[in-house]
Amino acid sequence: MKNIIVITGGAGFVGSNLIEYFVNNTNYKIISIDNYSSGSKKNHILNKRIKYINGHTKEINKILNLYKKNIKTIFHFGEFSRIYQSFLHMNKCIQSNTIGSVAVFNFCLENKIKLIYSATSASLGNSGRDKNLSPYAFTKSKNIEFLENLKKWFKFKYEVIFFYNVYGPRQITTGNMATVIGIFEDCFIKGKALPVVKPGTQSRRFTHIKDTVEVCFKAWKANKCRYYSISNNTSLTIIEVAKLFNSKIKYLSPRKGERYASALSGMSLNNKVYKNLGKIQLKDYIFEFLKKHT
């Protein structure tokens, strides 16, 4: 009986929230594969149905060999996921997003396991040209092309979900892999100025983790081999977000790979993207955060 759900990156921000959602809403057993490069044991959900494995996705065949007959779905969320850092650590990005991801795709294909893949809005902007702005965006966009070919060649079954600047509980707040909202929260708590990369007019569609995870579950349950996006209907500039914290702001020099808008595309390659808009607004989230910390 296929009673196991695998989540790569299960000790990370999105993965841990997805595991929690599955535990609360299904009876499936969960296996998390994470190499803890950005994930943390602090994100582990204590439940007897969950097994945490420390390993890299490029070794997925060896890691899951004993379980492969019982795996229903793999949520592949365990990739290198920062634009600027992909310039500084390109080899890590390629090891994860290319070598690791191809191993995951092949494992799913060989064992007839449904794949759910997390794509990124970073590859959609500027009429598709933003996919070449960084090693991160490039590797992610190439994975989409590869999946399209696997579908043509082998009738491979998968769902793709485009994420948009996810924030909320368990987001990374410090270090190289921290999120924008996480960094702002950390700086506010420590009484430091909020760092804004110039020019500050870059716009993003910040989307709460709860809204994001609900669409991941919806796509899994629908099982229609579609492309989905989960974003917010409100687009905010980075400087607008920083000002919501009513705190001091410092400007940082422009960075490589910076994109200036978060595109809300309805098309990706040969697939229609089914748009989903989140219900939680960032300004309301920040208002509640400020109430707790002032």
Side-chain angles (χ1 to χ4, degrees):
M1 185 174 68
K2 294 202 169 189
N3 62 346
I4 296 174
I5 301 293
V6 174
I7 299 173
T8 70
F13 170 36
V14 177
S16 64
N17 278 278
L18 182 62
I19 287 176
E20 188 172 46
Y21 196 92
F22 259 92
V23 167
N24 292 336
N25 292 278
T26 75
N27 293 317
Y28 283 92
K29 294 179 180 179
I30 310 293
I31 294 177
S32 163
I33 300 175
D34 203 305
N35 69 349
Y36 295 86
S37 57
S38 59
S40 170
K41 290 183 178 180
K42 292 179 181 178
N43 292 335
H44 284 190
I45 310 298
L46 298 179
N47 189 286
K48 63 182 180 181
R49 286 192 279 132
I50 307 169
K51 181 179 181 63
Y52 288 93
I53 298 175
N54 188 337
H56 198 289
T57 49
K58 62 187 179 182
E59 303 291 340
I60 193 169
N61 194 57
K62 187 195 314 184
I63 293 169
L64 295 179
N65 185 53
L66 295 177
Y67 308 97
K68 58 188 179 184
K69 291 182 180 179
N70 301 111
I71 298 171
K72 182 179 181 66
T73 309
I74 293 181
F75 285 82
H76 184 35
F77 292 174
E79 290 185 309
F80 190 100
S81 59
R82 291 293 176 270
I83 293 172
Y84 178 63
Q85 293 301 323
S86 71
F87 288 100
L88 305 179
H89 305 285
M90 189 177 73
N91 186 54
K92 286 184 179 179
C93 180
I94 291 171
Q95 287 287 321
S96 175
N97 296 13
T98 302
I99 298 173
S101 291
V102 168
V104 172
F105 299 167
N106 189 59
F107 180 80
C108 289
L109 182 64
E110 288 186 344
N111 295 288
K112 295 180 172 57
I113 296 168
K114 180 69 174 286
L115 172 75
I116 298 185
Y117 182 66
S118 63
T120 174
S121 60
S123 64
L124 292 178
N126 196 19
S127 301
R129 289 187 292 274
D130 280 2
K131 68 183 181 182
N132 295 314
L133 279 178
S134 65
Y136 166 68
F138 179 79
T139 55
K140 295 286 282 184
S141 66
K142 288 302 175 185
N143 283 348
I144 297 295
E145 290 184 34
F146 189 39
L147 287 174
E148 283 290 330
N149 280 323
L150 289 176
K151 182 172 66 177
K152 286 189 290 187
W153 299 333
F154 305 109
K155 297 183 179 179
F156 186 42
K157 304 291 186 183
Y158 60 87
E159 317 283 347
V160 170
I161 306 169
F162 285 93
F163 290 173
Y164 283 76
N165 295 88
V166 188
Y167 68 92
R170 301 195 194 103
Q171 66 190 337
I172 303 173
T173 59
T174 59
N176 293 334
M177 305 303 281
T179 62
V180 172
I181 304 303
I183 292 169
F184 285 179
E185 287 184 0
D186 183 66
C187 289
F188 181 88
I189 291 170
K190 293 175 179 176
K192 297 180 178 179
L194 275 57
V196 173
V197 175
K198 288 181 179 178
T201 53
Q202 312 92 297
S203 62
R204 301 287 184 267
R205 293 177 180 272
F206 292 94
T207 311
H208 195 275
I209 184 63
K210 184 175 183 292
D211 291 325
T212 301
V213 164
E214 285 178 354
V215 169
C216 292
F217 189 80
K218 170 185 171 183
W220 170 78
K221 202 167 184 180
N223 195 32
K224 292 184 177 178
C225 297
R226 289 177 171 175
Y227 280 41
Y228 298 83
S229 68
I230 171 58
S231 65
N232 196 272
N233 61 348
T234 302
S235 183
L236 295 170
T237 66
I238 304 300
I239 194 65
E240 285 174 335
V241 174
K243 287 179 178 178
L244 289 173
F245 284 85
N246 297 318
S247 185
K248 292 181 180 179
I249 295 170
K250 67 175 181 181
Y251 283 94
L252 304 179
S253 300
R255 290 178 175 175
K256 278 185 178 182
E258 190 70 30
R259 57 198 174 99
Y260 290 91
S262 191
L264 188 57
S265 176
M267 295 297 294
S268 178
L269 299 177
N270 298 320
N271 282 286
K272 176 183 178 181
V273 177
Y274 290 81
K275 297 179 185 178
N276 297 267
L277 296 176
K279 299 174 184 176
I280 299 172
Q281 299 299 321
L282 180 60
K283 60 183 179 60
D284 297 329
Y285 170 87
I286 293 175
F287 178 77
E288 292 300 321
F289 170 83
L290 295 178
K291 278 202 327 186
K292 290 179 182 177
H293 294 91
T294 52

